[in-house]
Amino acid sequence: MSNDEKSPNEDLPSLAPGPVDDDSADTVGRGEGVGEAREVQGLTQGQIVLARFFRHRGAMAGVIILLLVCLLSFTSMGIGPIRGWWKYQDYLASGTPVNGGAPTLSLPQWLGGAGFAIGDHPFGQDSLGSDNFALVMKGVQTSMFVMVVMGLVALVIGVLVGALTGYYRSWVDQSLMRLTDLVITLPVIVLGAVLGRLVNTLPVKMGASQDVVDSLTANMPLLLAIALGLILWPSLARLVRGEFLTLREREFVDSARVAGASDWRIITKHMLPNSIGVIIVNTTLLMSAAVVLETALSYLGFGINRPNISLGFLINTYQGAFATRPWLFWWPGLFIILIALSVNFIGDGLRDAFDPRTRKIPSQRQMNKASAPLTREDVK
């Protein structure tokens, strides 16, 4: 072939692999891919999810607030045999109200206060002289304990039921899903109130000894958390079932079956890790709902009672003092809002981190900033 003759394919772009301009490859489409390849290059899936979670401002705010609340509560009142730094460790002890029980906490001058000061009773006192700060911090501990235990119970039951129904189908799916539908139709607040009342009254009616009654009363937070976990698992089970119905038809599951893997290994090693995002996100949302539900039950008088203290119990106890001593009502309500919102924000951040489809389109300012280095390269 002469030099003047050309191959028919010479004018076409070469399809052979070669160096790729990463910067130009990052800026395709509507802007979703700006910096995407560079962000995830060389990272594992867990590192990618963690990086996305750390970039979520709401989730980070929720984590910081929740850690601060836990740190303040557990260090001030201690936990178990470990004594806290707050001087009023006996939160049920009474005394003489000082200055009408008004809070001694004072804001800095730049916030309009008389100067920052904590005082002896920063959250005030009730009519019996009990320190409200000690009561609220103990209530935070109890509410957090109920939230964590309830989340674990709902997690175990929901994942177990959802995995079995989604993987095996047939009569297993039919029987367990009918049970799930039955629990869903029951009013949560009514069922929780009935269970809470039974725990309080049934031992007495059955003639149990005083030691048994005192033991049940002392462990009421644990019993209430387990009862709430037995109520709130169906929504998680249905979501896990939907994930397993999709995953059981995937090629890697068929390959595991052909390789001789047992059902238990397929569920735990192959399908469950691919559903972990849905499980974690919805468990955090259930835990947030548990805080509000425990508050509602305690407010109605069907939840936690003395000698245990919860935030809902404090609101129920001091609701009559809202007009005369509103600080007794404000502080428990404030910490309920902080805990519930923090857990919700963390759940939103986990959802966005595990699901790349929720990645928002960058703004025009972000796209201009990302394309600035490319423009400078073109000028050179």
Side-chain angles (χ1 to χ4, degrees), residues 159-315:
V159 171
L160 182 61
V161 172
L164 292 177
T165 55
Y167 183 79
Y168 287 108
R169 302 290 299 274
S170 67
W171 65 270
V172 177
D173 185 20
Q174 293 296 324
S175 58
L176 291 179
M177 279 297 102
R178 298 297 76 78
L179 174 63
T180 303
D181 294 337
L182 176 63
V183 177
I184 289 178
T185 57
L186 297 175
V188 175
I189 192 72
V190 175
L191 188 58
V194 171
L195 293 176
R197 179 57 64 185
L198 286 177
V199 172
N200 286 323
T201 60
L202 192 60
V204 178
K205 292 184 178 180
M206 295 181 63
S209 62
Q210 188 61 38
D211 293 338
V212 174
V213 175
D214 293 341
S215 177
L216 290 176
T217 303
N219 292 290
M220 184 62 190
L222 176 62
L223 299 176
L224 181 63
I226 295 175
L228 293 180
L230 295 174
I231 299 173
L232 297 177
W233 60 267
S235 59
L236 178 60
R238 293 175 71 92
L239 291 170
V240 174
R241 174 180 177 269
E243 287 291 313
F244 269 61
L245 287 176
T246 303
L247 292 172
R248 72 190 299 269
E249 307 299 334
R250 299 287 295 274
E251 292 80 1
F252 66 89
V253 176
D254 293 336
S255 300
R257 290 197 190 100
V258 172
S262 63
D263 292 343
W264 174 255
R265 181 173 181 82
I266 293 174
I267 292 175
T268 57
K269 298 296 184 181
H270 298 280
M271 301 179 71
L272 198 58
N274 286 278
S275 306
I276 196 66
V278 173
I279 294 172
I280 292 177
V281 170
N282 288 276
T283 302
T284 57
L285 298 180
L286 283 178
M287 292 169 67
S288 174
V291 176
V292 180
L293 183 57
E294 182 274 325
T295 300
L297 291 175
S298 299
Y299 179 76
L300 295 174
F302 298 112
I304 296 173
N305 293 311
R306 289 180 182 269
N308 300 296
I309 299 293
S310 71
L311 297 177
F313 172 79
L314 293 177
I315 291 180

Side-chain angles (χ1 to χ4, degrees), residues 314-326:
L314 293 177
I315 291 180
N316 179 36
T317 303
Y318 299 128
Q319 59 178 320
F322 183 77
T324 56
R325 295 180 179 181

